[in-house]
């Protein structure tokens, strides 16, 4: 029989495989074992409805056989087999043509990614073999046929012999090259580790003859080689097991085995859903930030299995960025194995699973917060920043998911509290949720503007993370109470400081105006403060950009030059104010000196750099002498 040609698409895919420089060639075995497992499944399902077929579990298995001399690896299964037509139709063309529609030649290069993420079925065998023979006998047939190909030129199909139903795939392993040790695929230990890595959870046994070099029975010095058939996969994935069969240790071991992290996970979440979309998942919340989390190399994602077969080591679409630290596996029967990355992203089932997973993580964190506060705070201190970024980055669209998981330090006892706890303790007349930003709790606690709000009996959230104010800006309000910075110039708080004189006093007004002139370009306004008690001066701000934000933005590329609109507020009950008035009347130069000093002090209190430290210290000396 003459050689037949592959269909165009198949030919291109085949070429992609043959010339692949893909480093993870070992996945070919995953693909073949998965096909074998599917073929056994088909008999299994037939047996459910056809009483002529008895499905005796022991008769169904996959076997790997190595022949080092012939340089062949054979993957056999006792599955449903293929008829002549099926060999032709299944292996001559791509089964699911929809999955790989190459748009142009460049995609051959991009194909690198296709192989990496999904493997590409049977043809991946051509990454490691220069000839592939498929000998198959279909269920209910007496004849066997052989399909054989040495690459893109074509294939032959001819009659063959096979004693029992099933398929043998004989791979003639390529010779070693400079870059690739193909010989490895003829080593049982390599094959065993590949099987354990990718196909451990296949439902049927994957068997292999293992040669054991051991002492002869009854002898003390003589050795013999014993060949023993072993099942090399464990067959039952931990996520399929019942929760009550598993101990914390089992879960922790799995975490280690999978190299999810060096830490002990803070919490595991085992999900088993049988529904419109069925899936099992085990998720872990780590107790430590993954060590490479802030590097470019870090990829978020969950391991994705389809019926026990690994299809993707890190499926990013299963996790939102703000839960990017979560590790784990998802296994669903409702996902197809050979699905391209692009299609997967838009897969309805996958999106549904992703949403469920997100909600589950959220619920579990909420439970932890409710029931194991200490543990939650530990989590939040290490990983909570991600949740704040989450709100900020997605413009508040996940507000509902995340806002109740946030914790902030409070002016009362300097402990972490939730927004809800803040709300509960709010005074009846209180209109805003107050916050103050700074470098540390201590520094915030000493800010003049903080005293004022505290004296009113209002609680203040202390923001010490750079992202805090940005997060709160995006949140805007919590249960309809707006957030308000204690530094904002329009702090609508009733002033009950009796001694505070009205600034409408003409003389004071003129003083403030000339100070404003002296500080032109630096502050937007100079005014008498309604909130200062003991301090002579502080900076409040108007507009959208706060002083803390200015600090953060100025550290970023392109953020330089972004300035908060600052207002210098003065305490007219302070002795300094008398000095200012005096200088204004009698000594304009002194007024300039005082104004600059006060402004720079206000900057220092806010943790902002002063513009000219040398001038500032000189001014102090001048004042002292
Ligand atoms: P996919 O597995 O995604 O369908 P493949 O290219 O791996 O794509 O396989 C194409 C088809 O060949 C399969 O759908 C199946 O019908 C058939 N096939 C492959 N391997 C076997 C096997 N070991 N036993 C029976 N049929 C097989």
């Amino acid at each position: 029989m003459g050689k037949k040609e592959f269909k165009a698409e198949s030919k291109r895919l085949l070429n992609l495989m043959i010339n692949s420089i893909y480093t993870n060639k070992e996945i070919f075995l995953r693909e073949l074992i998965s096909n074998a497992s599917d073929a056994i499944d088909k008999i299994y399902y037939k047996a459910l409805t056809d009483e002529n077929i008895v499905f005796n579990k022991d008769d169904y298995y996959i076997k790997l056989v190595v022949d080092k001399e012939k340089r062949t690896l054979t993957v056999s299964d006792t599955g449903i087999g293929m008829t002549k037509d099926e060999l032709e139709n299944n292996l001559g063309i791509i089964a699911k043509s929809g999955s790989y529609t190459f748009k142009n030649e460049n995609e051959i290069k991009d194909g690198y990614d296709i192989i990496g993420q999904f493997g590409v079925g049977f043809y991946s065998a051509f990454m490691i073999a220069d000839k592939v023979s498929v000998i198959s006998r279909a269920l209910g047939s007496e004849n066997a046929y052989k399909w054989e190909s040495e690459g893109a030129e074509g294939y032959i199909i001819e009659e063959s012999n096979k004693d029992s139903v099933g398929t043998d795939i004989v791979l003639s392993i390529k010779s070693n090259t400079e870059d690739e040790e193909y010989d490895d695929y003829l080593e049982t230990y390599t094959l065993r580790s590949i099987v354990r890595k990718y196909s451990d959870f296949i439902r049927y046994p994957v068997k292999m003859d293992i040669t054991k070099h051991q002492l002869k029975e009854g002898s003390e010095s003589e050795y013999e080689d014993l060949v023993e058939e072993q099942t090399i996969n464990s067959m039952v994935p931990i996520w399929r097991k019942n929760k009550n069969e598993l101990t914390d240790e089992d879960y922790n071991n799995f975490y280690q085995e999978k190299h999810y992290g060096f830490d002990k996970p803070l919490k595991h979440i085992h999900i088993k859903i049988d529904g419109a979309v069925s899936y099992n998942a085990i998720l872990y919340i780590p107790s430590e930030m993954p060590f490479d989390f802030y590097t470019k190399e870090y990829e978020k994602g969950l391991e994705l299995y389809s019926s026990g077969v690994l299809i993707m080591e890190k499926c990013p679409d299963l996790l939102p960025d703000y839960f990017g630290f979560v590790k784990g596996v998802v296994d669903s029967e409702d996902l197809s194995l050979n699905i391209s990355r692009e299609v997967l992203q838009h897969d309805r089932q996958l999106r549904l699973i992703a949403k469920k997973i997100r909600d589950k993580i959220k619920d579990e964190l909420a439970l932890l917060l409710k029931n194991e506060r200490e543990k939650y705070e530990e989590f939040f201190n290490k990983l909570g920043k991600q949740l704040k970024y989450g709100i900020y980055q997605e413009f508040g669209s996940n507000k509902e998911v995340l806002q109740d998981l946030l914790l902030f330090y409070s002016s009362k006892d300097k402990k972490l509290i939730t927004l809800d706890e803040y709300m509960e303790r709010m005074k009846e007349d209180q209109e805003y949720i107050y916050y103050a930003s700074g470098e540390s709790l201590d520094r915030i606690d000493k800010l003049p503007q903080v005293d004022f709000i505290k004296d009113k009996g209002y609680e203040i959230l202390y923001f010490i993370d750079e992202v805090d104010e940005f997060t709160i800006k995006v949140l805007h309000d919590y249960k309809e109470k707006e957030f308000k910075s204690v530094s904002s110039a329009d702090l609508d708080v009733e002033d009950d400081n009796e001694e505070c004189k009205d600034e409408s006093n003409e003389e004071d007004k003129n003083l403030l105006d000339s100070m404003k002139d002296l500080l032109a370009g630096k502050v937007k306004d100079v005014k008498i403060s309604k909130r200062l008690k003991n301090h002579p001066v502080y900076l409040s701000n108007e507009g959208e950009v706060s002083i803390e934000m200015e600090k953060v933005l100025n550290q970023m590329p392109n953020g330089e030059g972004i300035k908060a609109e600052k207002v210098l507020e003065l305490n007219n009950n302070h002795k300094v104010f008398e000095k200012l008035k005096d200088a204004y009347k009698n000594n304009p130069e002194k007024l300039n000196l005082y104004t600059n000093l006060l402004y720079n002090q206000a900057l220092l209190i806010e943790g902002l750099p002063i513009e000219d430290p040398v001038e500032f210290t000189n001014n102090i000396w001048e004042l002292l002498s």
Side-chain angles (χ1 to χ4, degrees):
M1 198 193 286
K3 219 173 229 182
K4 299 194 174 187
E5 283 212 22
F6 286 105
K7 296 279 181 316
E9 291 280 276
S10 301
K11 206 164 166 172
R12 295 167 83 173
L13 185 57
L14 210 54
N15 268 320
L16 173 63
M17 292 301 149
I18 293 164
N19 304 313
S20 170
I21 48 154
Y22 183 56
T23 47
N24 221 13
K25 295 187 162 69
E26 61 190 26
I27 56 141
F28 82 92
L29 194 55
R30 172 190 80 180
E31 299 297 313
L32 297 185
I33 289 178
S34 152
N35 280 348
S37 165
D38 288 348
I40 301 176
D41 269 349
K42 283 180 190 156
I43 296 197
Y44 172 78
Y45 289 120
K46 249 198 157 79
L48 295 178
T49 52
D50 186 341
E51 55 193 32
N52 294 321
I53 306 168
V54 186
F55 192 87
N56 181 357
K57 238 179 111 232
D58 294 341
D59 297 340
Y60 294 96
Y61 58 88
I62 296 151
K63 181 146 186 186
L64 308 184
V65 178
V66 170
D67 185 329
K68 280 195 179 178
E69 264 159 45
K70 289 193 190 146
R71 289 187 70 80
T72 59
L73 164 65
T74 304
V75 181
S76 301
D77 66 67
T78 58
I80 197 155
M82 283 177 274
T83 62
K84 189 180 173 199
D85 281 352
E86 281 166 343
L87 281 170
E88 172 93 50
N89 294 328
N90 292 337
L91 307 183
I93 56 166
I94 298 171
K96 296 190 189 80
S97 55
S99 306
Y100 325 101
T101 34
F102 293 107
K103 288 173 202 87
N104 55 53
E105 286 302 326
N106 281 339
E107 294 216 7
I108 299 283
K109 274 191 234 115
D110 301 342
Y112 186 83
D113 197 44
I114 302 182
I115 307 172
Q117 305 292 0
F118 299 101
V120 268
F122 168 75
Y123 287 161
S124 61
F126 285 94
M127 286 198 292
I128 53 95
D130 39 29
K131 183 169 96 182
V132 178
S133 313
V134 181
I135 301 125
S136 195
R137 181 170 146 192
L139 183 70
S141 164
E142 293 301 317
N143 308 325
Y145 290 89
K146 180 166 91 174
W147 176 102
E148 194 168 82
S149 169
E150 290 179 39
E153 290 85 58
Y155 58 91
I156 55 151
I157 293 180
E158 60 190 26
E159 229 168 302
S160 185
N161 294 307
K162 198 173 181 312
D163 293 340
S164 54
V165 169
T167 303
D168 297 338
I169 297 182
V170 186
L171 308 162
S172 302
I173 303 294
K174 290 181 183 176
S175 311
N176 284 349
T177 65
E178 250 171 56
D179 312 312
E180 195 78 34
E181 294 274 324
Y182 291 104
D183 281 2
D184 283 350
Y185 302 115
L186 296 166
E187 297 297 339
T188 47
Y189 66 83
T190 309
L191 296 170
R192 178 161 58 184
S193 77
I194 300 174
V195 170
R196 289 209 175 138
K197 182 165 171 192
Y198 296 103
S199 313
D200 194 44
F201 311 123
I202 288 284
R203 282 181 297 289
Y204 307 104
V206 178
K207 297 179 183 181
M208 193 161 57
D209 290 336
I210 308 278
T211 310
K212 280 187 170 171
H213 193 62
Q214 62 180 40
L215 275 176
K216 246 186 183 160
E217 235 183 32
S219 158
E220 278 174 22
S221 56
E222 265 186 278
Y223 284 85
E224 64 180 349
D225 282 343
L226 260 190
V227 179
E228 188 184 85
E229 190 181 69
Q230 284 183 8
T231 295
I232 49 183
N233 58 329
S234 78
M235 291 192 274
V236 184
I238 171 171
W239 57 85
R240 289 248 180 94
K241 293 184 180 158
N242 283 322
K243 291 174 210 178
N244 55 19
E245 286 174 55
L246 294 163
T247 62
D248 281 354
E249 207 191 339
D250 289 328
Y251 288 110
N252 290 348
N253 280 342
F254 185 67
Y255 186 84
Q256 310 299 342
E257 230 174 81
K258 286 284 180 184
H259 305 292
Y260 288 149
F262 302 114
D263 56 334
K264 212 167 152 194
L266 188 72
K267 194 169 179 57
H268 63 256
I269 305 168
H270 194 159
I271 313 174
K272 292 166 88 71
I273 304 273
D274 262 316
V277 182
S278 301
Y279 65 97
N280 296 309
I282 294 183
L283 311 173
Y284 293 94
I285 296 165
S287 58
E288 296 290 337
M289 190 58 119
F291 72 97
D292 55 349
F293 196 77
Y294 289 112
T295 68
K296 269 204 303 255
E297 282 69 46
Y298 189 82
E299 291 172 65
K300 63 156 186 168
L302 299 173
E303 262 183 285
L304 184 61
Y305 286 80
S306 153
S307 303
V309 183
L310 182 65
I311 53 175
M312 206 171 175
E313 272 181 310
K314 280 198 178 139
C315 178
D317 308 319
L318 283 168
L319 284 179
D321 283 347
Y322 50 85
F323 289 151
F325 49 80
V326 172
K327 307 278 184 173
V329 297
V330 174
D331 184 7
S332 173
E333 299 156 14
D334 298 319
L335 292 171
S336 107
L337 180 60
N338 279 341
I339 179 170
S340 81
R341 172 150 179 61
E342 224 171 285
V343 175
L344 191 61
Q345 234 168 23
H346 300 112
D347 190 82
R348 213 177 60 84
Q349 266 98 339
L350 192 83
R351 291 220 310 266
L352 223 89
I353 296 175
K355 188 180 168 301
K356 286 260 160 84
I357 282 178
R358 182 199 71 188
D359 291 346
K360 185 73 183 169
I361 297 170
K362 181 212 153 183
D363 291 347
E364 288 293 327
L365 286 174
L367 274 178
L368 199 67
L369 170 63
K370 194 169 150 226
N371 302 327
E372 293 172 84
R373 180 67 172 235
E374 224 173 279
K375 229 174 166 185
Y376 186 80
E377 288 189 12
E378 192 190 313
F379 155 79
F380 196 82
N381 280 326
K382 298 222 166 94
L383 300 140
K385 220 180 251 188
Q386 293 312 308
L387 311 182
K388 298 176 187 171
Y389 285 134
I391 289 177
Y392 174 64
Q393 279 163 347
E394 308 200 9
F395 309 106
S397 61
N398 348 328
K399 197 172 153 161
E400 295 307 318
V401 182
L402 295 174
Q403 63 182 359
D404 285 316
L405 296 175
L406 297 179
L407 295 178
F408 296 103
Y409 282 99
S410 139
S411 52
K412 290 195 178 133
D413 347 307
K414 317 281 177 314
K415 285 202 181 121
L416 287 168
I417 60 166
T418 63
L419 293 175
D420 201 46
E421 286 159 356
Y422 183 98
M423 288 283 277
E424 272 175 21
R425 308 205 292 230
M426 263 172 107
K427 288 180 72 178
E428 239 170 73
D429 65 334
Q430 191 177 338
E431 277 192 55
Y432 296 109
I433 298 175
Y434 293 105
Y435 66 86
S437 304
E439 254 134 73
S440 68
L441 298 179
D442 268 356
R443 278 185 79 158
I444 300 174
D445 213 32
K446 286 183 187 140
L447 289 174
Q449 59 270 42
V450 161
D451 271 348
F452 176 73
I453 299 291
K454 272 210 269 189
D455 283 352
K456 299 259 170 218
Y458 300 148
E459 191 170 10
I460 305 169
L461 299 175
Y462 285 4
F463 289 174
I464 48 174
D465 261 350
E466 284 181 352
V467 67
D468 285 341
E469 272 198 73
F470 294 88
T471 301
I472 255 36
K473 272 260 140 42
V474 170
L475 266 188
H476 181 263
D477 64 284
Y478 179 76
K479 298 189 178 160
E480 288 169 23
K481 288 277 182 195
E482 275 180 46
F483 292 94
K484 190 100 177 159
S485 164
V486 298
S487 299
S488 66
D490 63 335
L491 196 63
D492 298 336
V493 177
E494 278 293 306
D495 167 44
D496 50 22
N497 188 349
E498 304 269 303
E499 293 156 67
C500 192
K501 283 172 235 155
D502 199 317
E503 63 168 288
S504 59
N505 170 337
E506 196 61 31
E507 204 181 309
D508 288 358
K509 242 199 151 108
N510 290 337
L511 164 66
L512 297 176
D513 283 345
S514 32
M515 287 179 78
K516 188 175 161 183
D517 287 344
L518 288 168
L519 293 172
K522 295 173 179 167
V523 301
K524 204 183 163 215
D525 203 2
V526 179
K527 65 182 197 187
I528 303 282
S529 176
K530 292 179 176 175
R531 356 176 179 168
L532 284 171
K533 229 177 25 176
N534 307 315
H535 258 272
V537 69
Y538 97 100
L539 283 175
S540 65
N541 77 278
E542 287 179 2
E544 285 299 305
V545 181
S546 75
I547 290 170
E548 275 313 301
M549 286 176 161
E550 175 184 318
K551 284 191 229 166
V552 176
L553 292 170
N554 279 312
Q555 286 170 12
M556 297 184 184
N558 309 325
E560 263 166 89
I562 295 176
K563 295 268 176 255
E565 290 180 353
K566 304 181 187 80
V567 178
L568 188 73
E569 299 203 15
L570 298 169
N571 183 352
N572 60 353
N573 291 315
H574 200 281
K575 341 191 240 310
V576 164
F577 197 73
E578 296 305 320
K579 293 252 178 197
L580 284 171
K581 285 207 285 198
D582 190 51
Y584 173 66
K585 259 188 262 165
N586 307 314
N587 190 343
E589 218 161 283
K590 265 238 154 89
L591 181 67
N592 189 17
L593 181 71
Y594 289 163
T595 304
N596 272 303
L597 271 173
L598 283 173
Y599 170 66
N600 278 310
Q601 284 174 348
L603 289 177
L604 283 174
I605 291 171
E606 289 299 328
L608 286 168
I610 49 178
E611 281 153 32
D612 189 341
V614 176
E615 192 197 3
F616 179 66
T617 38
N618 283 344
N619 284 346
I620 292 176
W621 289 121
E622 196 179 324
L623 208 67
L624 287 175
S625 49

